[in-house]
Amino acid sequence: MSTAPPPQPFAHLQAPNAVLYGQVLAVFAQARERFIVHLRPEDVAAELRRGFDDRSTTSVEAVGAALEKLVEWGNLRADADTGRVTSVEDFHRARYLYQLTRHGQAALRAVALYEQALGQRGQLQSVALADIAEQLGSLLVLAQARDSDPAKAHLLLLQIAERFGSLADNAQAFMASLRRTIDFQDGDEDAFIAYKDRLVEYIERFIADLAGRGAQIADLLTRLNAADMERLLLAAARREAGDAVPSASDSDEPEAEQARAEATRAALTAWENRWRGLADWFLSRSARQPSQAKLLRSAAVSAITGLVNTVAALNERRGGRSDRSADFRALARLFAQAPDDAAAHRLWRAAFALTPARHLTVDAATEAAWQDADLPAAVPWAEAPALEISPRLRETGSYERRGAPNRVTDRTAARQVLAEQVELEAAQTAAARARLATDGPVLLSELAGPDGLDPHAFRLFLTVLGDALSARTPGESESSAITGDGTMEVRLKLVDPDTVVEIQTADGVLSGPEHIIEIIDLAPAGSAA
């Protein structure tokens, strides 16, 4: 008994007429988007003629041969076309309707994704952050309601998953393309420097959006987890499981119920994994496990530094400063211009003749001999007493015989101490943020209170105050700023430049003009994002 050969849906990519096969499959893909399932050979040929003028490759005969090969490879399925039979002769003539198989559809999607990944140019999507925050706010309303609509929850979760997936993929592609930009070596330097200015402005704007929106999203995620998010995930999983197609063995009611339960568990596991990925992107688990948003923020800041360093290197190259690569190129030209081997050897000795001694040291006996001889500093080395060097030092660069390597030090305790110190510093920073956060605008003189500020709160206060003052432009009395880590926002307004206030701290007294200040803690409770 013969069996059908296994499908080969990617065979058309290596076939001689690969272009024609790809065009035919593209016609089926476009027809499927228009909800057309079956196509006849003349329909395919007509669609091809709309985009191509070469009638030799788009004739019905050429298209029919291509369709037969695609059926052979498993990309298409051929069904008898009896809809237009008007005579016995038409009935016996081979007429077929063609449609994509599931193997063909999967191959089309795989090729499309491959081409999209090759040509993808990532971008940091500030709009996606706003959309995710808005959708999470709507989801929070459903989570807090007693009788929430499963359909609305499911649709919101689908939108959030799609938007978040796009955000994560584009961020990854952008950082990869940015790394290629930073590693710029050759090309139009003027265009690169002009592009750098726009890119730095773009990254800085995204960092500010990520700091603000990221804190808002983290707060919404924290509130959703506290509002029994599992109930909405289970509702979405049950709704997806309701669309699962039963198998032929699920004819009995108990077996069908078991199949639905298994489908629900599988869908719930998938949704829990997506939700955990979203939470890990915006919420830090601990000081040692920061959120992906925090890591992206740090990578973007580092990218700005890398871009500036690249531009500095380009400017140095323009200024004519010599670097090692330029020196080696100049030396290579000298070697190429050497008249003979003897000249090349002399050039090599002048450039690289550092081999006679691997190390130069003076031992106690040599120092004593030099002191006894009372040698002045101007005596040439050739006329000074000889310096004896150990043969082992000459051969290996070390006095000691190589032995067994030292044991690897167990640093578990030290790492634990460092982890505890990091956790302590994080807790102190969180307490300082809570101490400085105001319920609204207050006078600067009232911020510290009668007890003053402790050292940790005072250092954090100096940081946020410095950010707000540096953001103020000349001639203005108001300013606002978000700290570099995105955890706090400070708003400052000058009241009277002649009124001087004093703030008592453990480190001394801080004095300055009276201001109205408002400090907002953007980081949700229990999060280091």
Side-chain angles (χ1 to χ4, degrees), residues 457-515:
F458 179 60
R459 295 189 187 98
L460 182 60
F461 171 70
L462 288 180
T463 300
V464 298
L465 184 62
D467 292 340
L469 291 175
S470 61
R472 179 184 296 175
T473 58
E476 293 186 356
S477 60
E478 297 184 17
S479 63
S480 64
I482 297 177
T483 57
D485 58 0
T487 58
M488 302 193 76
E489 180 181 2
V490 57
R491 300 169 184 172
L492 201 62
K493 180 179 180 181
L494 180 63
V495 175
D496 185 3
D498 298 329
T499 303
V500 178
V501 297
E502 294 183 349
I503 298 178
Q504 299 293 331
T505 70
D507 297 327
V509 179
L510 175 67
S511 60
E514 180 68 288
H515 285 75

Side-chain angles (χ1 to χ4, degrees), residues 396-480:
T396 66
S398 173
Y399 281 114
E400 303 294 334
R401 180 183 297 274
R402 298 184 182 273
N406 296 330
R407 292 185 177 181
V408 178
T409 305
D410 185 6
R411 305 190 184 277
T412 304
R415 285 197 296 267
Q416 181 65 28
V417 172
L418 290 177
E420 293 175 354
Q421 183 177 356
V422 170
E423 294 290 347
L424 177 60
E425 292 177 355
Q428 291 173 346
T429 303
R433 285 204 313 265
R435 169 67 180 84
L436 291 177
T438 61
D439 294 333
V442 298
L443 290 174
L444 188 62
S445 56
E446 301 174 354
L447 179 65
D451 298 332
L453 295 175
D454 61 85
H456 299 292
F458 179 60
R459 295 189 187 98
L460 182 60
F461 171 70
L462 288 180
T463 300
V464 298
L465 184 62
D467 292 340
L469 291 175
S470 61
R472 179 184 296 175
T473 58
E476 293 186 356
S477 60
E478 297 184 17
S479 63
S480 64

Side-chain angles (χ1 to χ4, degrees), residues 200-247:
V200 169
E201 180 183 358
Y202 175 66
I203 296 175
E204 288 178 341
R205 186 171 66 251
F206 176 78
I207 291 174
D209 292 338
L210 183 60
R213 292 291 185 182
Q216 180 185 1
I217 292 174
D219 180 59
L220 288 170
L221 289 172
T222 303
R223 295 167 64 185
L224 277 167
N225 289 331
D228 192 14
M229 187 60 199
E230 287 290 334
R231 177 171 57 87
L232 296 183
L233 296 179
L234 180 59
R238 287 174 176 171
R239 195 164 184 266
E240 287 187 359
D243 293 334
V245 178
S247 62

Side-chain angles (χ1 to χ4, degrees), residues 157-490:
L157 285 171
L158 288 174
Q159 293 172 3
I160 292 171
E162 179 183 1
R163 209 71 176 102
F164 171 67
S166 174
L167 172 68
D169 292 342
N170 277 279
Q172 182 179 2
F174 178 81
M175 297 312 297
S177 63
L178 184 61
R179 174 50 54 190
R180 293 192 294 270
T181 302
I182 295 174
D183 293 339
F184 171 86
Q185 296 294 335
D186 298 316
D188 191 346
E189 296 180 2
D190 293 331
F192 171 77
I193 292 175
Y195 169 70
K196 180 268 304 179
D197 295 333
R198 297 193 300 271
L199 184 60
V200 169
E201 180 183 358
Y202 175 66
I203 296 175
E204 288 178 341
R205 186 171 66 251
F206 176 78
I207 291 174
D209 292 338
L210 183 60
R213 292 291 185 182
Q216 180 185 1
I217 292 174
D219 180 59
L220 288 170
L221 289 172
T222 303
R223 295 167 64 185
L224 277 167
N225 289 331
D228 192 14
M229 187 60 199
E230 287 290 334
R231 177 171 57 87
L232 296 183
L233 296 179
L234 180 59
R238 287 174 176 171
R239 195 164 184 266
E240 287 187 359
D243 293 334
V245 178
S247 62
S249 61
D250 295 340
S251 56
D252 296 337
E253 184 63 27
E255 295 180 356
E257 186 64 28
Q258 181 180 359
R260 282 193 294 269
E262 292 177 355
T264 301
R265 283 195 296 270
L268 180 60
T269 301
W271 275 114
E272 288 176 344
N273 187 51
R274 295 190 194 107
W275 186 257
R276 180 181 177 183
L278 178 61
D280 289 346
W281 225 84
F282 292 99
L283 292 175
S284 298
R285 294 190 181 182
S286 64
R288 298 180 63 183
Q289 293 178 309
S291 64
Q292 292 298 316
K294 187 174 183 180
L295 294 177
L296 177 61
R297 208 158 52 226
S298 301
V301 173
S302 300
I304 294 177
T305 305
L307 283 171
V308 173
N309 293 337
T310 302
V311 173
L314 291 177
N315 290 332
E316 290 180 0
R317 187 187 303 176
R318 285 178 169 184
R321 289 184 56 183
S322 177
D323 56 10
R324 184 172 296 179
S325 60
D327 292 341
F328 280 125
R329 285 194 295 268
L331 186 60
R333 286 193 295 269
L334 293 176
F335 272 110
Q337 297 169 0
D340 50 30
D341 289 344
H345 282 297
R346 286 195 300 273
L347 178 60
W348 183 89
R349 291 282 298 182
F352 303 108
L354 303 177
T355 55
R358 298 182 61 172
H359 292 273
L360 183 61
T361 101
V362 178
D363 55 13
T366 304
E367 288 184 352
W370 288 351
Q371 291 176 359
D372 294 341
D374 193 15
L375 296 174
V379 174
W381 283 91
E383 300 177 7
L387 174 64
E388 296 184 1
I389 299 177
S390 168
R392 183 176 300 280
L393 175 65
R394 172 83 177 236
E395 294 173 0
T396 66
S398 173
Y399 281 114
E400 303 294 334
R401 180 183 297 274
R402 298 184 182 273
N406 296 330
R407 292 185 177 181
V408 178
T409 305
D410 185 6
R411 305 190 184 277
T412 304
R415 285 197 296 267
Q416 181 65 28
V417 172
L418 290 177
E420 293 175 354
Q421 183 177 356
V422 170
E423 294 290 347
L424 177 60
E425 292 177 355
Q428 291 173 346
T429 303
R433 285 204 313 265
R435 169 67 180 84
L436 291 177
T438 61
D439 294 333
V442 298
L443 290 174
L444 188 62
S445 56
E446 301 174 354
L447 179 65
D451 298 332
L453 295 175
D454 61 85
H456 299 292
F458 179 60
R459 295 189 187 98
L460 182 60
F461 171 70
L462 288 180
T463 300
V464 298
L465 184 62
D467 292 340
L469 291 175
S470 61
R472 179 184 296 175
T473 58
E476 293 186 356
S477 60
E478 297 184 17
S479 63
S480 64
I482 297 177
T483 57
D485 58 0
T487 58
M488 302 193 76
E489 180 181 2
V490 57

